[in-house]
Amino acid sequence: LVNKMKLYKIPLLFISETHLTESTTYNIDGYTFIFSSASTPATGVGVIIAPWLRPLISSITCHSERIIEVQVSASPMPLVFLGVYAPIQKEDQEHSDLRSKFWTKLAEIIMPIPQITPLYICGDFNTRLQGRSETEKTVIGPHIYGKGFHT
C-alpha cells in the first residue's frame, strides 16, 4: 500500500474490514498507519497518512471499530475525513440492530460538524445497489443487484 501511495501521490488512504482485534499505530517508510479495532470479528478500520501530510493533521479520532476520523488543517476551516465500515446488509434482527447502531453513531459524529466544513466520508457502506445510470459508471462499480442499469 505504501508503494501505491508513493506512486500515485496519495496523501490519505482509508482501509476497512481490517480484521484486527486491537487498535494499533506504526510507521513504514515514514507513512503512519493507524487502526481502530475491537475484538468483534470481521470489523476494523484504518488510515494510512503520507509523511508530507502528517504535519497538517490536527486530530485523529478512533470512534469505534467501524469509524475513524481525520481532521486536516486548512484555511479557513479544517477538512474532515471519516473512514467507515458499515455492517453488512442482511434482513435478520442482529444485523438490523448493528446497522441501526452504526448509522446512529455516524449521525452523532457528523451532527456537531459545522455545515460549511468540508466533510468526506470514505469506506465500505455494505449497501446493495439496485441500479445505476450510465453517468455513474465512474463512481459506482459493476456490482449491481436487481434492476441493473437505469437510463
Side-chain angles (χ1 to χ4, degrees):
L1 292 173
V2 167
N3 288 337
K4 292 294 183 187
M5 288 180 74
K6 288 177 182 179
L7 178 66
Y8 295 107
K9 297 176 178 42
I10 298 170
L12 201 59
L13 181 66
F14 286 96
I15 306 167
S16 60
E17 198 173 358
T18 63
H19 291 258
L20 296 175
T21 56
E22 293 181 13
S23 296
T24 187
T25 302
Y26 56 87
N27 286 288
I28 297 176
D29 288 343
Y31 286 72
T32 304
F33 289 67
I34 301 167
F35 295 98
S36 183
S37 304
S39 59
T40 310
T43 62
V45 290
V47 63
I48 307 171
I49 304 167
W52 56 268
L53 183 66
R54 189 73 178 121
L56 299 175
I57 301 297
S58 55
S59 71
I60 299 168
T61 307
C62 298
H63 292 283
S64 72
E65 72 277 12
R66 294 190 176 274
I67 306 171
I68 189 168
E69 177 181 352
V70 177
Q71 290 197 16
V72 179
S73 296
S75 182
M77 63 199 62
L79 304 173
V80 177
F81 295 87
L82 297 175
V84 303
Y85 176 51
I88 61 173
Q89 186 171 323
K90 284 190 175 180
E91 300 304 319
D92 62 52
Q93 189 61 45
E94 177 187 358
H95 287 93
S96 179
D97 290 346
L98 284 172
R99 287 184 69 77
S100 179
K101 287 177 186 174
F102 167 81
W103 291 110
T104 299
K105 179 72 172 174
L106 186 60
E108 289 171 357
I109 293 165
I110 292 171
M111 291 305 288
I113 298 171
Q115 288 185 347
I116 59 171
T117 300
L119 170 65
Y120 302 91
I121 304 174
C122 317
D124 184 350
F125 290 93
N126 269 318
T127 301
R128 293 185 179 161
L129 300 174
Q130 292 295 313
R132 69 171 179 197
S133 70
E134 285 294 321
T135 61
E136 294 172 322
K137 279 185 170 182
T138 59
V139 292
I140 299 176
H143 306 290
I144 303 296
Y145 298 91
K147 301 174 187 171
F149 289 97
H150 290 288
T151 55

